[in-house]
Amino acid sequence: MLGKETENQEVIDGGADNRAVEPPSPVRSIATGRHRAARMRGDLRRRLAPVYSALPVRLGLAAMMAGGLAFVVTNESRSAVDRQDTLDSALAAQRADELADQRASRYEREPIEPIATPSATATAPPVTPSPSPSKTVKRAPKPAKPARPKPVAGLTQAQMDNANTIVKVGVRMKVPRKGLIVAIATAMQESNLYNLANASVPESLDYPNQGVGYDNDSVGLFQQRSSSGWGAVADLMRPAYAAEQFFAALLQIPGWQQMSVTSAAQAVQVSAFPDAYAPHEGPATTVVSALLA
């Protein structure tokens, strides 16, 4: 159609043979241009109509293909994820089984020792109950040591201690007070109230003593002789035993309480100097009085 219009236009424009050439009118030229442009647009629409009509179909197909591809990709991705999850689960289960087997084998090789717990029958350490602060524990007072008698009548402490032993023995044997004075006066004369050993009796030196005498085989406070039957040397060197022997002999003398101190002492000792005991009667009385007070 564009060719025919051109041919007619050329006849119109080029018809110089039939009529005179007129100069073109500006109004006509503009109308002709607009008409020509309109014809060109219409022709272009007609040519592109098939393309436009097929475009929605093609776009739909493209969209469908894209959707299908996305669906396929999505399904594939999900399938891959599901497969990965399944594989991971299987691997985890397998790993757990392996660890269980390892633990079981380890337990078989290395038995677990039981945790030590305190035995119910274990002996608990003794608990010492503390005394209640509200209660006062009363303890029995310790027996006081007997006070040593103070010396009197010019005696030393050792002499006074020996006199005290003689008096205690006599009191225990229930000897009258006069008999105590007789015993103290006799010891003052015989040994000066000291427990003497004897150089002639070596055994006597093995026992506690307060000096050494030399009168025959006489030993102790009363210078008693083992050879005369007064007792063994070991016994006679003990002041308490020597006092017992003297009082036992005194108590066997008939009427000794009516005798003078000197006569009573001589009756027991049978000394070569019977009057030697008399000077000691006063001091002996003072000592006995102090010890019996």
Side-chain angles (χ1 to χ4, degrees):
M1 294 179 67
L2 292 175
K4 187 176 179 178
E5 291 176 357
T6 304
E7 181 181 356
N8 292 335
Q9 185 64 36
E10 290 176 354
V11 174
I12 296 171
D13 295 337
D17 296 341
N18 298 324
R19 55 185 180 271
V21 176
E22 297 179 359
S25 174
V27 176
R28 186 178 180 181
S29 296
I30 292 172
T32 302
R34 289 178 177 175
H35 181 68
R36 187 178 296 171
R39 285 199 304 268
M40 289 177 68
R41 286 196 298 272
D43 185 60
L44 182 59
R45 287 193 186 97
R46 285 191 296 273
R47 289 187 177 186
L48 293 178
V51 177
Y52 289 151
S53 62
L55 184 59
V57 177
R58 293 180 179 178
L59 290 175
L61 292 175
M64 292 177 62
M65 292 179 65
L69 182 59
F71 177 76
V72 171
V73 172
T74 302
N75 288 341
E76 289 296 330
S77 299
R78 291 179 178 175
S79 299
V81 171
D82 294 340
R83 288 195 298 274
Q84 186 64 37
D85 292 341
T86 303
L87 181 60
D88 292 343
S89 299
L91 291 176
Q94 183 178 0
R95 181 59 179 167
D97 294 340
E98 292 177 356
L99 291 176
D101 294 339
Q102 292 177 2
R103 288 195 298 269
S105 61
R106 184 170 67 251
Y107 294 157
E108 293 176 359
R109 292 192 303 272
E110 302 175 0
I112 299 177
E113 297 181 359
I115 299 176
T117 56
S119 175
T121 60
T123 303
V127 178
T128 303
S130 58
S132 175
S134 60
K135 296 181 179 180
T136 303
V137 179
K138 295 182 179 180
R139 296 181 179 179
K142 294 181 179 179
K145 293 182 179 180
R148 298 177 70 179
K150 293 181 180 181
V152 295
L155 300 181
T156 65
Q157 185 65 57
Q159 291 172 312
M160 194 67 179
D161 291 340
N162 289 333
N164 187 38
T165 300
I166 295 172
V167 170
K168 284 185 176 179
V169 172
V171 170
R172 177 170 56 83
M173 295 178 68
K174 299 180 179 181
V175 177
R177 186 174 184 273
K178 185 177 181 177
L180 301 179
I181 296 174
V182 172
I184 296 298
T186 302
M188 285 180 173
Q189 172 60 31
E190 297 292 346
S191 65
N192 199 19
L193 272 175
Y194 285 116
N195 187 30
L196 300 179
N198 193 317
S200 300
V201 184
E203 180 186 354
S204 64
L205 300 174
D206 296 335
Y207 306 109
N209 61 80
Q210 295 169 322
V212 179
Y214 301 92
D215 183 18
N216 296 319
D217 58 348
S218 303
V219 296
L221 287 176
F222 295 91
Q223 292 293 286
Q224 296 161 329
R225 303 175 63 178
S226 178
S227 59
S228 298
W230 286 96
V233 174
D235 294 329
L236 295 175
M237 289 298 296
R238 293 188 297 110
Y241 179 85
E244 289 177 356
Q245 292 297 92
F246 179 84
F247 285 124
L250 178 64
L251 295 175
Q252 291 179 357
I253 297 175
W256 68 267
Q257 297 189 44
Q258 285 75 36
M259 296 180 182
S260 65
V261 171
T262 299
S263 299
Q266 176 62 19
V268 175
Q269 295 295 103
V270 190
S271 173
F273 307 94
D275 298 328
Y277 305 103
H280 303 290
E281 182 175 353
T285 302
T286 302
V287 171
V288 170
S289 297
L291 293 173
L292 293 179

